[in-house]
Amino acid sequence: MSALGWPQDDAWMTVLRRLPPARTDANRHISSHYQANEPAIFDDDEDLDPQHETAEGNTSTQDAGDVNSVRTVEVFTYTEVSAVPKSVSYDNFTILIHLKAPLTSGRQNRNWNHAESPQSSQDSRAPVDLVTVLDVSGSMSGTKLALLKRAMGFVIQNLGPSDRLSVIAFSSTARRHFPLRRMTETGKLEALQAVNSLVSSGGTNIAEGLRKGFKVVVDRKWKNPVCSIILLSDGQDTYTISGTSMTRPQADYKSLLPTSIHRNGSSGFRIPVHAFGFGSDHDAASMHSISEISGGTFSFIEAEGVIQDAFAQCIGGLLSVVVQELQVKVESLHPRLEIGSIQAGSYKSSIMANAIMGFVDVGDLYAEEERDFLVTVNIPVDGTSDEMSLLKVSCTYRDPMTKGMMTLEEASQVKIQRPEITGTRVVSMEVEKQRNRLRAAEAMTEARAAAENGDLARAVSVLESCGKALSETASTRAGDRLCIALCAELKEMQERMASRRVYETSGRAYILSGLSSHSWQRATARGDSTDSTNLMQAYQTPSMADMVTQSQTMVFGTPSSQRKLRQTMSFPAARPRPR
């Protein structure tokens, strides 16, 4: 056995034994592992791949209809009911806006085949700058650190030569072990060497690790189109932030994020921190807070053996970004119709003072990723026509490959019939499903608040009541996968609130991971990820599922152990086009 507890014939150890010695070229900064001191400014990032580099500011605005490309966002709309009598007004009438991101051309041709190298699909997607901020405190010693290194090896293996990676490790202090460097074959080998050099000791200074990770992002001289930070920790921040995880406010960590990458910063968009809470002793509230502030997700890794799968799901998304800076605009098409509300979860939304126009800032979308927003309007009495136009939905976004701005001016028009008399009122199944999703998220928020106040009985009651109400809706009775999975998730949360000890060790992290997933409509890892009967792996895209499958079946070209992520299902399910 190796010092890390791995078999000596493990494929990972084979790779490490073949690593070349550290490079000593004085003209290039390679890794602080190889250097005595870090530079004061992290502007030593490696130049971008010339094949993907585009001049800064070289953008154009074009009508998406004129582009010979499949990279167009699809927009569908669904009304609560199809008709409202002419003589009736209808307040809080609900309209669902459904968005779906395009495929990458690489996935169309055959994406992430196990026999296909990441480089061969690189040209079909936007290159990524990935900064990993990793906990190497004393509590990470032994198996935890070994599995983290293995997971990082999987990440490195799946990055392409145009992607860049930087490695920050923190314990009592933080250190940049590897600068932002392209993952060519040489870059990968040296990144593996830097990761393998990590040793565990000391306390847990999450804030210092984040500061250094943000410094890499802010100081970099060159910028790939996509940028993200991955943060992993298994403990409480024992150095910087005071207070308990139950009472600590988001503002404590907000000061650590440069204004330029706040999710509500001047640009309206952000560089997300995808946070991974590892084990039963991590600070779930703070990790969730960090991810929420930045526009990232919070995942709860309960079982050590699935850390690689959790990372795989995350990078499966990051390596498939096809839409950036997406903003949706809704406009009233009737002189007396007002927009009442926009339910968009954690996405920033706004309604103009005159209530005839509203916006949702969505940001990045992964390939084939879907988003659903509910808009309510107040429909006036109108006997002038048998049909009434309600809203126009349009959107703008940036194509990360071309860096050009795309505009969909007439993405969708929302209309309803205005007959003299209507028959039985039948609510759209699509609208009801999204109401159920939002209702479940509200119940989770209320239950978490009750649990933090020490009232676990009330928390369980809230979840139980919501689950019962959802089970009686038409969409659940019809067997809708999303609604069935929501009911299963609410029941799982009840079980994780069985006692204060259970809630502290897993319930809080589980519910916060669920809230993160639903508020951003993006997949997160959750719980022990081994229970194949648990249906809730919501919002997972095909590219994410491909990468998880690869993680579960391949480890550096050799079959993996019996480690298995829970059964995955993609939600929302495929839906019919509206008539």
Side-chain angles (χ1 to χ4, degrees), residues 410-422:
E410 297 290 339
S412 181
Q413 280 203 17
V414 183
K415 299 179 180 181
I416 57 168
Q417 301 301 310
R418 299 303 302 264
E420 296 291 343
I421 302 174
T422 59

Side-chain angles (χ1 to χ4, degrees), residues 52-68:
H52 287 270
E53 187 175 352
T54 304
E56 189 74 23
N58 182 21
T59 61
S60 61
T61 302
Q62 50 194 329
D63 186 339
D66 296 332
V67 179
N68 293 321

Side-chain angles (χ1 to χ4, degrees), residues 123-342:
D123 291 340
S124 66
R125 63 172 178 83
V128 176
D129 283 345
L130 180 63
V131 179
T132 56
V133 180
L134 309 174
D135 187 342
V136 292
S137 59
S139 59
M140 285 290 294
S141 64
T143 303
K144 281 186 178 181
L145 185 61
L147 291 171
L148 174 59
K149 290 180 178 182
R150 186 188 294 277
M152 280 299 298
F154 180 84
V155 171
I156 291 166
Q157 180 191 33
N158 281 281
L159 295 176
S162 297
D163 301 314
R164 300 190 301 173
L165 174 73
S166 180
V167 179
I168 307 293
F170 67 92
S171 53
S172 301
T173 59
R175 184 176 182 84
R176 187 188 69 163
H177 284 254
F178 194 72
L180 200 56
R181 184 164 180 216
R182 287 201 291 123
M183 289 294 95
T184 59
E185 287 307 308
T186 301
K188 287 182 178 184
L189 288 173
E190 292 182 350
L192 287 170
Q193 192 170 37
V195 168
N196 189 53
S197 74
L198 299 177
V199 294
S200 58
S201 66
T204 306
N205 196 336
I206 297 173
E208 190 59 29
L210 278 174
R211 287 192 187 100
K212 194 140 292 187
F214 296 145
K215 183 174 174 59
V216 170
V217 170
V218 172
D219 289 357
R220 61 192 166 140
K221 186 182 298 183
W222 311 96
K223 295 180 180 179
N224 263 328
V226 179
C227 181
S228 187
I229 295 172
I230 286 178
L231 167 69
L232 178 134
S233 177
D234 77 331
Q236 309 278 328
D237 189 320
T238 54
Y239 284 82
T240 309
I241 308 297
S242 59
T244 68
S245 60
M246 286 189 291
T247 60
R248 184 174 301 147
Q250 287 192 3
D252 286 336
Y253 277 99
K254 189 170 185 178
S255 63
L256 299 176
L257 278 71
T259 304
S260 60
I261 64 174
H262 281 181
R263 69 181 177 93
N264 291 324
S266 57
S267 68
F269 301 98
R270 58 263 177 180
I271 294 175
V273 178
H274 295 290
F276 293 82
F278 192 11
S280 61
D281 193 42
H282 73 278
D283 190 341
S286 291
M287 299 286 277
H288 176 262
S289 170
I290 292 164
S291 65
E292 185 71 13
I293 292 166
S294 66
T297 54
F298 167 63
S299 291
F300 169 36
I301 304 173
E302 189 170 19
E304 295 176 350
V306 296
I307 182 173
Q308 179 173 301
D309 295 347
F311 275 19
Q313 178 170 262
C314 183
I315 66 166
L318 295 175
L319 298 181
S320 68
V321 172
V322 291
V323 170
Q324 291 186 300
E325 301 175 27
L326 172 61
Q327 184 181 69
V328 177
K329 179 170 70 173
V330 294
E331 299 176 80
S332 171
L333 291 177
H334 190 282
R336 291 184 288 118
L337 183 140
E338 295 183 346
I339 299 171
S341 67
I342 300 175

